[in-house]
Amino acid sequence: MSKASARPLTPQYRTISQTSASQKALPLSLKTSGTSANAGENKSKILRMLMFGKPGAGKGTLSARLVKKYEILSLSTGDLLRQHIAERTEVGRMAEEIVATGGLLPDDIMLKVVTSKLDMLHNKHWILDGFPRTLGQGKLLDDHLKTRGTPLSLVVNLDVADEVILSRISDRWVHLPSGRVYNLSYNPPKVPGLDDATGEPLTKRPDDNPEIFARRLEKFYASTSPLLAYYKTEASRTTRIASLSGSTSDEIWPQLEGLVRTSFPNLKERAETREQRLRHSLSDAVISRSEHDSLTKY
């Protein structure tokens, strides 16, 4: 996409700083909101996390990296809903009827879908994906978790500039069968236009265009910005609110990992991750020793 085609976005759409509700939402910092917890409390804290960001900001990529490296459960609202429908639960039958007619699920039904799982995870670290999306949903979830004694412990906002995301989605190509995503700017396929693993053609997602992105961005400002403002003003001493900035997921990842490791020191790496790191360390040590031995021969 040419720069000219991207230019109309600037005058057409509000930036976060131009949105009254979001003015309260985005001056977030890495400091803990409310009274800071002492070291003993910090060690026992459980990660119960929400991640927000504009469409294309990298929420899915960064959540996946956390889940892959650490013992964290990723809970997708869509997956939970499909499970309820498949298992013919009471809430699943109610949801199926509404979905079949093309309607939107009421907030109370969505809350039941989500909390039916969350209520079983008292001592588990988790990230919730897809809920809440509106201020009303956020208040319902917040109230429910607090009554169960399992309040949110971390809310993260990914602050990525509009123009960066537009450029990112313009350069994005996907292998639809596998879901593998490529970006011509920083993660191009080995052979232009073809998937690295299968050699099959890559395609553009239907919503990867400026017009649809602009509509999704407006929806974000209308619904998510007030929700972020709510968490900023209503956060208790148990909930940490943070905003992480960057142009790519690779830039934001060290900030996110550092925040999580500092705030939740009892969070464990997955066994396979530790084993891989150990193998790499041993391999590096062997290489270093071999290089040293060959140098000392002369």
Side-chain angles (χ1 to χ4, degrees):
M1 177 179 291
S2 65
K3 292 182 179 179
S5 62
R7 197 171 298 142
L9 274 175
T10 303
Q12 276 185 313
Y13 303 102
R14 297 169 295 178
T15 63
I16 289 182
S17 62
Q18 293 171 316
T19 307
S20 58
S22 60
Q23 284 177 341
K24 302 176 183 177
L26 286 203
L28 308 177
S29 69
L30 293 179
K31 295 181 180 179
T32 304
S33 299
T35 306
S36 60
N38 62 43
E41 291 173 330
N42 203 34
K43 288 181 181 179
S44 62
K45 285 187 69 176
I46 302 297
L47 176 67
R48 292 183 285 266
M49 176 179 171
L50 300 180
M51 188 183 298
F52 295 103
K54 303 171 192 173
K59 298 184 294 294
T61 298
L62 290 164
S63 294
R65 289 179 75 164
L66 277 177
V67 170
K68 182 179 180 180
K69 185 169 183 179
Y70 297 98
E71 293 181 353
I72 303 171
L73 295 174
S74 178
L75 304 175
S76 164
T77 304
D79 290 344
L80 293 174
L81 179 59
R82 284 186 286 273
Q83 182 180 350
H84 274 279
I85 292 175
E87 294 178 356
R88 305 296 297 165
T89 65
E90 180 183 357
V91 68
R93 291 194 299 271
M94 295 170 59
E96 187 175 30
E97 292 179 6
I98 297 172
V99 171
T101 60
L104 296 176
L105 296 181
D107 288 348
D108 60 333
I109 292 182
M110 286 303 305
L111 182 70
K112 289 179 181 178
V113 168
V114 172
T115 56
S116 64
K117 183 68 174 180
L118 295 184
D119 289 349
M120 301 165 57
L121 303 176
H122 283 277
N123 297 313
K124 300 290 185 181
H125 302 284
W126 51 256
I127 301 174
L128 181 58
D129 176 30
F131 188 91
R133 294 187 182 276
T134 66
L135 178 57
Q137 291 176 352
K139 290 181 177 179
L140 285 174
L141 178 64
D142 209 26
D143 290 343
H144 179 90
L145 293 177
K146 286 179 179 178
T147 59
R148 298 303 191 277
T150 57
L152 291 169
S153 51
L154 181 62
V155 175
V156 171
N157 176 55
L158 304 181
D159 185 12
V160 182
D162 298 358
E163 57 271 20
V164 170
I165 299 177
L166 178 60
S167 174
R168 185 183 298 174
I169 66 170
S170 299
D171 288 342
R172 184 163 61 187
W173 291 80
V174 63
H175 178 244
L176 289 177
S178 67
R180 279 185 288 273
V181 178
Y182 300 87
N183 191 286
L184 302 183
S185 299
Y186 56 84
N187 180 36
K190 296 175 182 177
V191 178
L194 300 179
D195 177 53
D196 288 351
T198 66
E200 295 173 342
L202 302 177
T203 59
K204 294 287 288 182
R205 287 175 175 165
D207 57 348
D208 278 357
N209 66 70
E211 293 76 18
I212 293 179
F213 167 74
R215 290 198 294 271
R216 294 175 67 195
L217 191 58
E218 279 292 305
K219 187 175 181 181
F220 170 85
Y221 288 136
S223 61
T224 309
S225 289
L227 182 55
L228 282 168
Y230 165 76
Y231 284 121
K232 180 68 169 67
T233 56
E234 297 295 326
S236 68
R237 65 191 298 270
T238 60
T239 307
R240 190 168 188 173
I241 317 294
S243 183
L244 309 180
S245 301
S247 298
T248 68
S249 296
D250 285 342
E251 287 183 18
I252 296 177
W253 168 248
Q255 304 173 52
L256 177 61
E257 185 180 27
L259 172 66
V260 168
R261 289 182 67 94
T262 301
S263 303
F264 307 92
N266 64 329
L267 184 62
K268 297 179 181 178
E269 289 189 18
R270 295 192 182 277
E272 57 268 29
T273 304
R274 294 194 298 270
E275 290 170 2
Q276 290 170 359
R277 190 173 61 191
L278 179 60
R279 284 198 298 270
H280 291 158
S281 298
L282 291 174
S283 177
D284 291 343
V286 170
I287 292 172
S288 177
R289 181 59 187 237
S290 299
E291 291 175 345
H292 176 269
D293 289 346
S294 33
L295 285 173
T296 55
K297 288 181 180 177
Y298 303 98

